[in-house]
Protein backbone atom coordinates (compact mmCIF):
# COMPACT_ATOMS: atom_id res chain seq x y z
CA UNK A 1 0.00 0.00 0.00
CA UNK A 2 1.47 3.35 -0.94
CA UNK A 3 2.30 5.73 1.88
CA UNK A 4 -0.13 8.32 0.63
CA UNK A 5 -3.08 5.92 0.92
CA UNK A 6 -1.98 4.87 4.38
CA UNK A 7 -1.82 8.45 5.59
CA UNK A 8 -5.20 9.18 4.05
CA UNK A 9 -6.70 6.16 5.79
CA UNK A 10 -5.24 7.12 9.17
CA UNK A 11 -6.44 10.70 8.75
CA UNK A 12 -9.94 9.56 7.86
CA UNK A 13 -9.96 7.20 10.86
CA UNK A 14 -9.08 9.93 13.30
CA UNK A 15 -11.59 12.27 11.74
CA UNK A 16 -14.32 9.67 12.02
CA UNK A 17 -13.30 8.92 15.58
CA UNK A 18 -13.43 12.59 16.46
CA UNK A 19 -16.87 12.95 14.90
CA UNK A 20 -18.02 9.85 16.78
CA UNK A 21 -16.70 11.26 20.06
CA UNK A 22 -18.46 14.55 19.43
CA UNK A 23 -21.71 12.73 18.74
CA UNK A 24 -21.32 10.59 21.84
CA UNK A 25 -20.52 13.59 24.02
CA UNK A 26 -23.42 15.58 22.61
CA UNK A 27 -25.85 12.74 23.16
CA UNK A 28 -24.57 11.92 26.65
CA UNK A 29 -24.23 15.44 28.08
CA UNK A 30 -27.43 17.45 28.71
CA UNK A 31 -27.69 21.03 29.98
CA UNK A 32 -31.09 21.46 31.63
CA UNK A 33 -32.34 25.11 31.76
CA UNK A 34 -33.51 26.73 34.97
CA UNK A 35 -37.09 25.86 36.07
CA UNK A 36 -37.25 22.87 33.73
CA UNK A 37 -37.05 19.12 34.32
CA UNK A 38 -36.24 16.28 31.89
CA UNK A 39 -37.75 12.85 32.51
CA UNK A 40 -35.33 10.12 31.34
CA UNK A 41 -36.29 6.59 30.34
CA UNK A 42 -33.97 3.62 29.86
CA UNK A 43 -35.21 0.91 27.56
CA UNK A 44 -38.68 2.44 27.76
CA UNK A 45 -38.79 2.52 31.57
CA UNK A 46 -38.49 5.53 33.87
CA UNK A 47 -34.90 6.00 34.99
CA UNK A 48 -34.45 9.45 36.51
CA UNK A 49 -35.42 13.12 36.45
CA UNK A 50 -32.77 15.61 35.43
CA UNK A 51 -32.95 19.07 37.03
CA UNK A 52 -31.31 22.38 36.05
CA UNK A 53 -27.59 22.16 35.31
CA UNK A 54 -25.19 19.65 33.75
CA UNK A 55 -26.47 16.07 33.46
CA UNK A 56 -25.04 12.90 31.86
CA UNK A 57 -26.88 10.23 29.87
CA UNK A 58 -25.81 6.83 28.61
CA UNK A 59 -25.71 7.19 24.82
CA UNK A 60 -28.18 5.10 22.80
CA UNK A 61 -29.65 3.71 26.06
CA UNK A 62 -31.08 6.67 27.96
CA UNK A 63 -33.68 8.88 26.32
CA UNK A 64 -35.31 12.18 27.37
CA UNK A 65 -39.00 11.38 27.09
CA UNK A 66 -40.68 14.38 28.76
CA UNK A 67 -39.60 17.99 29.00
CA UNK A 68 -41.60 19.59 31.83
CA UNK A 69 -41.70 23.28 32.82
CA UNK A 70 -41.60 24.05 36.54
CA UNK A 71 -42.86 27.63 36.13
CA UNK A 72 -46.29 28.80 37.21
CA UNK A 73 -48.67 28.97 34.27
CA UNK A 74 -52.03 30.63 33.75
CA UNK A 75 -54.72 28.87 31.73
CA UNK A 76 -58.14 30.11 30.72
CA UNK A 77 -61.04 28.02 31.93
CA UNK A 78 -63.72 28.06 29.19
CA UNK A 79 -67.12 29.56 29.91
CA UNK A 80 -69.55 27.14 31.43
CA UNK A 81 -73.20 27.12 32.49
CA UNK A 82 -73.98 26.72 36.18
CA UNK A 83 -77.20 26.76 38.17
CA UNK A 84 -77.42 28.45 41.56
CA UNK A 85 -79.22 27.14 44.61
CA UNK A 86 -82.29 29.22 43.72
CA UNK A 87 -82.37 27.75 40.17
CA UNK A 88 -80.86 30.69 38.27
CA UNK A 89 -78.69 29.83 35.27
CA UNK A 90 -75.31 31.59 35.07
CA UNK A 91 -72.42 31.63 32.62
CA UNK A 92 -69.06 31.62 34.42
CA UNK A 93 -65.47 31.66 33.22
CA UNK A 94 -62.18 31.97 35.04
CA UNK A 95 -58.39 31.80 35.05
CA UNK A 96 -56.43 28.91 36.55
CA UNK A 97 -52.90 29.36 37.93
CA UNK A 98 -51.03 26.08 38.46
CA UNK A 99 -47.51 24.88 38.99
CA UNK A 100 -45.88 21.48 38.36
CA UNK A 101 -44.29 20.08 41.52
CA UNK A 102 -43.46 16.48 40.58
CA UNK A 103 -42.39 15.90 36.95
CA UNK A 104 -42.64 12.10 37.37
CA UNK A 105 -46.31 12.19 38.46
CA UNK A 106 -47.18 14.82 35.86
CA UNK A 107 -45.64 12.64 33.13
CA UNK A 108 -47.04 9.27 34.12
CA UNK A 109 -50.01 10.10 36.36
CA UNK A 110 -52.17 11.83 33.77
CA UNK A 111 -52.09 12.11 30.01
CA UNK A 112 -52.68 15.92 29.80
CA UNK A 113 -52.69 17.56 33.21
CA UNK A 114 -53.73 21.00 31.85
CA UNK A 115 -56.86 19.59 30.24
CA UNK A 116 -57.58 17.44 33.31
CA UNK A 117 -57.27 20.35 35.72
CA UNK A 118 -59.42 22.59 33.49
CA UNK A 119 -62.18 19.99 33.42
CA UNK A 120 -61.90 19.54 37.17
CA UNK A 121 -62.11 23.32 37.67
CA UNK A 122 -65.29 23.48 35.59
CA UNK A 123 -67.03 20.69 37.46
CA UNK A 124 -65.95 22.07 40.84
CA UNK A 125 -67.19 25.53 39.87
CA UNK A 126 -70.61 24.18 38.95
CA UNK A 127 -70.75 22.28 42.21
CA UNK A 128 -69.78 25.29 44.34
CA UNK A 129 -72.19 27.67 42.61
CA UNK A 130 -75.00 25.17 43.12
CA UNK A 131 -74.54 25.57 46.90
CA UNK A 132 -75.29 29.31 47.08
CA UNK A 133 -78.01 31.72 45.97
CA UNK A 134 -77.65 34.21 43.13
CA UNK A 135 -77.25 37.23 45.41
CA UNK A 136 -74.31 35.61 47.18
CA UNK A 137 -72.42 34.62 44.03
CA UNK A 138 -71.22 38.21 43.59
CA UNK A 139 -70.57 38.78 47.29
CA UNK A 140 -68.73 35.51 47.96
CA UNK A 141 -66.50 35.38 44.89
CA UNK A 142 -63.38 35.16 47.06
CA UNK A 143 -64.86 32.27 49.01
CA UNK A 144 -65.74 30.51 45.76
CA UNK A 145 -62.18 30.87 44.51
CA UNK A 146 -60.77 29.42 47.72
CA UNK A 147 -63.14 26.46 47.75
CA UNK A 148 -62.37 25.63 44.11
CA UNK A 149 -58.61 25.74 44.73
CA UNK A 150 -58.91 23.43 47.74
CA UNK A 151 -61.08 20.95 45.86
CA UNK A 152 -58.78 20.85 42.81
CA UNK A 153 -55.63 20.43 44.90
CA UNK A 154 -57.17 17.50 46.73
CA UNK A 155 -58.14 15.79 43.48
CA UNK A 156 -54.94 16.61 41.55
CA UNK A 157 -52.44 15.51 44.19
CA UNK A 158 -51.67 12.21 42.33
CA UNK A 159 -50.83 14.25 39.22
CA UNK A 160 -47.93 16.08 40.85
CA UNK A 161 -49.31 19.58 40.26
CA UNK A 162 -50.59 22.30 42.55
CA UNK A 163 -53.20 24.96 41.79
CA UNK A 164 -51.89 28.22 43.20
CA UNK A 165 -55.12 30.18 42.78
CA UNK A 166 -58.30 30.38 40.76
CA UNK A 167 -59.90 33.66 39.74
CA UNK A 168 -63.44 34.05 38.43
CA UNK A 169 -63.28 36.50 35.54
CA UNK A 170 -66.94 37.05 34.84
CA UNK A 171 -70.38 35.94 36.01
CA UNK A 172 -73.18 36.57 33.53
CA UNK A 173 -76.78 36.09 34.70
CA UNK A 174 -79.66 36.06 32.18
CA UNK A 175 -80.85 39.39 30.79
CA UNK A 176 -84.12 39.20 32.70
CA UNK A 177 -82.27 38.67 35.96
CA UNK A 178 -80.00 41.61 35.22
CA UNK A 179 -83.02 43.82 34.59
CA UNK A 180 -84.61 42.70 37.86
CA UNK A 181 -81.36 43.35 39.73
CA UNK A 182 -81.12 46.82 38.23
CA UNK A 183 -84.68 47.61 39.31
CA UNK A 184 -83.93 46.29 42.78
CA UNK A 185 -80.79 48.42 43.09
CA UNK A 186 -82.70 51.46 41.85
CA UNK A 187 -85.42 50.85 44.43
CA UNK A 188 -82.80 50.46 47.16
CA UNK A 189 -81.13 53.74 46.16
CA UNK A 190 -84.48 55.56 46.13
CA UNK A 191 -85.30 54.06 49.51
CA UNK A 192 -82.00 55.23 50.99
CA UNK A 193 -82.51 58.69 49.45
CA UNK A 194 -86.01 58.93 50.97
CA UNK A 195 -84.73 57.82 54.36
CA UNK A 196 -81.88 60.32 54.27
CA UNK A 197 -84.26 63.11 53.24
CA UNK A 198 -86.68 62.28 56.06
CA UNK A 199 -83.81 62.15 58.51
CA UNK A 200 -82.75 65.59 57.31
CA UNK A 201 -86.26 67.01 57.81
CA UNK A 202 -86.46 65.37 61.23
CA UNK A 203 -83.12 66.78 62.33
CA UNK A 204 -84.08 70.21 61.00
CA UNK A 205 -87.34 70.17 62.97
CA UNK A 206 -85.48 69.06 66.10
CA UNK A 207 -82.96 71.86 65.68
CA UNK A 208 -85.72 74.45 65.21
CA UNK A 209 -87.60 73.18 68.29
CA UNK A 210 -84.46 73.17 70.39
CA UNK A 211 -83.66 76.70 69.22
CA UNK A 212 -87.16 77.91 70.14
CA UNK A 213 -86.91 76.17 73.52
CA UNK A 214 -83.57 77.76 74.28
CA UNK A 215 -84.91 81.16 73.18
CA UNK A 216 -87.90 80.82 75.55
CA UNK A 217 -85.64 79.75 78.39
CA UNK A 218 -83.33 82.69 77.80
CA UNK A 219 -86.31 85.09 77.57
CA UNK A 220 -87.77 83.71 80.83
CA UNK A 221 -84.43 84.02 82.56
CA UNK A 222 -84.06 87.59 81.31
CA UNK A 223 -87.61 88.48 82.49
CA UNK A 224 -86.89 86.87 85.86
CA UNK A 225 -83.69 88.81 86.24
CA UNK A 226 -85.51 92.03 85.26
CA UNK A 227 -88.28 91.42 87.82
CA UNK A 228 -85.72 90.67 90.52
CA UNK A 229 -83.84 93.88 89.74
CA UNK A 230 -87.08 95.89 89.64
CA UNK A 231 -88.20 94.41 92.97
CA UNK A 232 -84.84 95.12 94.53
CA UNK A 233 -85.03 98.70 93.24
CA UNK A 234 -88.56 99.20 94.60
CA UNK A 235 -87.56 97.70 97.93
CA UNK A 236 -84.60 100.05 98.18
CA UNK A 237 -86.86 102.98 97.22
CA UNK A 238 -89.44 102.05 99.90
CA UNK A 239 -86.67 101.68 102.47
CA UNK A 240 -85.24 105.05 101.47
CA UNK A 241 -88.67 106.75 101.71
CA UNK A 242 -89.34 105.11 105.09
CA UNK A 243 -85.92 106.24 106.34
CA UNK A 244 -86.61 109.77 105.14
CA UNK A 245 -90.04 109.83 106.83
CA UNK A 246 -88.56 108.42 110.02
CA UNK A 247 -85.86 111.07 110.03
CA UNK A 248 -88.46 113.77 109.32
CA UNK A 249 -90.71 112.56 112.16
CA UNK A 250 -87.73 112.36 114.48
CA UNK A 251 -86.76 115.91 113.61
CA UNK A 252 -90.35 117.12 114.07
CA UNK A 253 -90.59 115.31 117.41
CA UNK A 254 -87.39 116.89 118.68
CA UNK A 255 -88.54 120.37 117.65
CA UNK A 256 -92.02 119.81 119.17
CA UNK A 257 -90.47 119.41 122.66
CA UNK A 258 -89.43 123.09 122.63
CA UNK A 259 -91.56 126.21 123.12
CA UNK A 260 -90.71 127.46 119.69
CA UNK A 261 -91.78 124.11 118.31
CA UNK A 262 -95.11 124.27 120.11
CA UNK A 263 -95.77 127.68 118.65
CA UNK A 264 -94.78 126.48 115.19
CA UNK A 265 -97.11 123.49 115.50
CA UNK A 266 -99.97 125.76 116.60
CA UNK A 267 -99.33 128.03 113.66
CA UNK A 268 -99.15 125.06 111.25
CA UNK A 269 -102.35 123.57 112.59
CA UNK A 270 -104.14 126.93 112.31
CA UNK A 271 -102.99 127.25 108.71
CA UNK A 272 -104.17 123.73 107.87
CA UNK A 273 -107.54 124.29 109.55
CA UNK A 274 -108.05 127.51 107.65
CA UNK A 275 -107.01 125.82 104.39
CA UNK A 276 -109.40 122.94 105.06
CA UNK A 277 -112.36 125.24 105.67
CA UNK A 278 -111.43 127.28 102.68
CA UNK A 279 -111.40 124.17 100.53
CA UNK A 280 -114.80 123.09 101.89
CA UNK A 281 -116.27 126.50 101.19
CA UNK A 282 -114.78 126.50 97.71
CA UNK A 283 -116.20 123.08 96.71
CA UNK A 284 -119.68 123.56 98.32
CA UNK A 285 -122.16 126.40 98.09
CA UNK A 286 -123.47 125.82 101.64
CA UNK A 287 -121.20 125.34 104.68
CA UNK A 288 -122.73 124.84 108.16
CA UNK A 289 -120.43 125.40 111.10
CA UNK A 290 -121.31 125.70 114.83
CA UNK A 291 -120.93 129.16 116.26
CA UNK A 292 -118.75 128.13 119.13
CA UNK A 293 -116.19 126.37 116.98
CA UNK A 294 -116.24 128.55 113.94
CA UNK A 295 -113.19 130.63 114.84
CA UNK A 296 -109.64 129.80 114.03
CA UNK A 297 -108.76 130.21 117.69
CA UNK A 298 -111.07 127.42 118.74
CA UNK A 299 -109.55 125.11 116.14
CA UNK A 300 -106.07 125.90 117.33
CA UNK A 301 -107.15 125.39 120.92
CA UNK A 302 -108.51 121.96 120.14
CA UNK A 303 -105.29 121.01 118.38
CA UNK A 304 -103.22 122.22 121.30
CA UNK A 305 -105.37 120.21 123.69
CA UNK A 306 -104.62 117.08 121.65
CA UNK A 307 -100.88 117.82 121.61
CA UNK A 308 -100.77 118.40 125.36
CA UNK A 309 -102.58 115.16 125.99
CA UNK A 310 -100.05 113.28 123.83
CA UNK A 311 -97.15 114.98 125.62
CA UNK A 312 -98.63 114.08 129.00
CA UNK A 313 -99.00 110.45 128.03
CA UNK A 314 -95.43 110.43 126.76
CA UNK A 315 -94.15 111.96 130.05
CA UNK A 316 -96.08 109.48 132.18
CA UNK A 317 -94.76 106.61 130.10
Amino acid sequence: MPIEQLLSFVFSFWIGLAVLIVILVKSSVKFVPQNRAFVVERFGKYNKTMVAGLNVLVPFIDKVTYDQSLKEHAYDVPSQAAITKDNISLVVDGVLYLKLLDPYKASYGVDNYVYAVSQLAQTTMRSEIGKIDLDKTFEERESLNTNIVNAINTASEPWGIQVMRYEIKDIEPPRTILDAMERQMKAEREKRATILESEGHRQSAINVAEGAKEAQVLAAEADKAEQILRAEGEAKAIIAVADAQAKALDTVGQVANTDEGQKAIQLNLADKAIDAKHAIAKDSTVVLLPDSNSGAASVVAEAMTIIKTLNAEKTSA
Side-chain angles (χ1 to χ4, degrees):
M1 178 180 295
I3 188 64
E4 292 83 2
Q5 293 180 354
L6 180 61
L7 291 175
S8 177
F9 174 77
V10 171
F11 182 73
S12 299
F13 172 77
W14 286 108
I15 291 177
L17 182 61
V19 172
L20 179 61
I21 292 173
V22 171
I23 294 174
L24 290 176
V25 171
K26 185 177 181 181
S27 62
S28 62
V29 176
K30 290 290 184 182
F31 293 95
V32 180
Q34 186 67 31
N35 284 332
R36 298 191 73 85
F38 291 171
V39 177
V40 179
E41 292 181 353
R42 178 173 295 178
F43 300 116
K45 183 180 179 181
Y46 171 77
N47 182 30
K48 64 179 179 179
T49 300
M50 296 190 302
V51 295
L54 178 62
N55 295 268
V56 179
L57 296 175
V58 178
F60 308 111
I61 297 177
D62 293 340
K63 178 183 178 183
V64 176
T65 308
Y66 297 99
D67 180 4
Q68 304 287 8
S69 175
L70 303 180
K71 299 178 182 179
E72 183 177 344
H73 294 275
Y75 300 98
D76 283 329
V77 178
S79 300
Q80 57 182 324
I83 299 177
T84 62
K85 186 178 179 180
D86 50 354
N87 296 323
I88 303 299
S89 179
L90 303 176
V91 177
V92 185
D93 60 356
V95 180
L96 191 65
Y97 298 86
L98 56 86
K99 186 175 183 180
L100 191 147
L101 301 180
D102 191 337
Y104 171 77
K105 292 182 179 180
S107 300
Y108 298 101
V110 63
D111 184 33
N112 186 342
Y113 64 85
V114 175
Y115 176 78
V117 172
S118 298
Q119 294 299 312
L120 185 58
Q122 288 181 332
T123 56
T124 306
M125 170 59 74
R126 287 194 293 267
S127 176
E128 291 296 327
I129 289 182
K131 298 177 182 178
I132 57 178
D133 295 329
L134 175 63
D135 295 337
K136 294 184 179 180
T137 55
F138 299 95
E139 301 173 3
E140 300 184 2
R141 182 174 296 191
E142 187 66 27
S143 177
L144 282 173
N145 294 335
T146 302
N147 293 338
I148 292 172
V149 169
N150 294 334
I152 295 176
N153 283 333
T154 301
S156 62
E157 184 177 359
W159 303 339
I161 61 175
Q162 180 180 3
V163 177
M164 309 305 294
R165 57 191 179 276
Y166 181 87
E167 298 293 338
I168 298 175
K169 289 197 301 183
D170 194 13
I171 300 177
E172 296 182 3
R175 184 71 254 176
T176 55
I177 300 299
L178 288 176
D179 294 339
M181 294 174 66
E182 290 178 359
R183 291 195 299 270
Q184 181 180 1
M185 289 187 292
K186 182 179 180 181
E188 288 292 334
R189 287 193 295 267
E190 292 177 352
K191 176 183 176 182
R192 288 195 296 267
T194 303
I195 293 174
L196 291 176
E197 185 178 0
S198 63
E199 288 291 337
H201 290 315
R202 175 176 175 270
Q203 190 62 41
S204 176
I206 291 174
N207 292 338
V208 171
E210 290 180 352
K213 176 183 176 182
E214 291 178 359
Q216 291 179 354
V217 171
L218 292 175
E221 291 179 353
D223 186 55
K224 176 182 177 182
E226 182 182 359
Q227 292 179 359
I228 291 174
L229 292 175
R230 186 184 298 111
E232 290 177 353
E234 292 177 355
K236 289 180 180 180
I238 293 172
I239 292 173
V241 172
D243 290 340
Q245 291 178 351
K247 290 179 180 179
L249 292 174
D250 182 65
T251 302
V252 171
Q254 291 178 1
V255 174
N257 289 329
T258 62
D259 294 337
E260 290 79 3
Q262 292 293 326
K263 293 179 181 179
I265 291 172
Q266 293 175 4
L267 181 59
N268 187 30
L269 291 174
D271 289 337
K272 290 182 177 181
I274 293 170
D275 291 337
K277 291 182 178 182
H278 182 271
I280 293 172
K282 183 178 179 181
D283 294 336
S284 178
T285 56
V286 178
V287 178
L288 298 177
L289 293 174
D291 294 337
S292 60
N293 296 329
S294 59
S298 61
V299 175
V300 173
E302 290 178 359
M304 290 301 301
T305 301
I306 295 172
I307 291 174
K308 289 179 181 180
T309 303
L310 293 175
N311 290 333
E313 292 178 354
K314 181 176 180 182
T315 302
S316 63

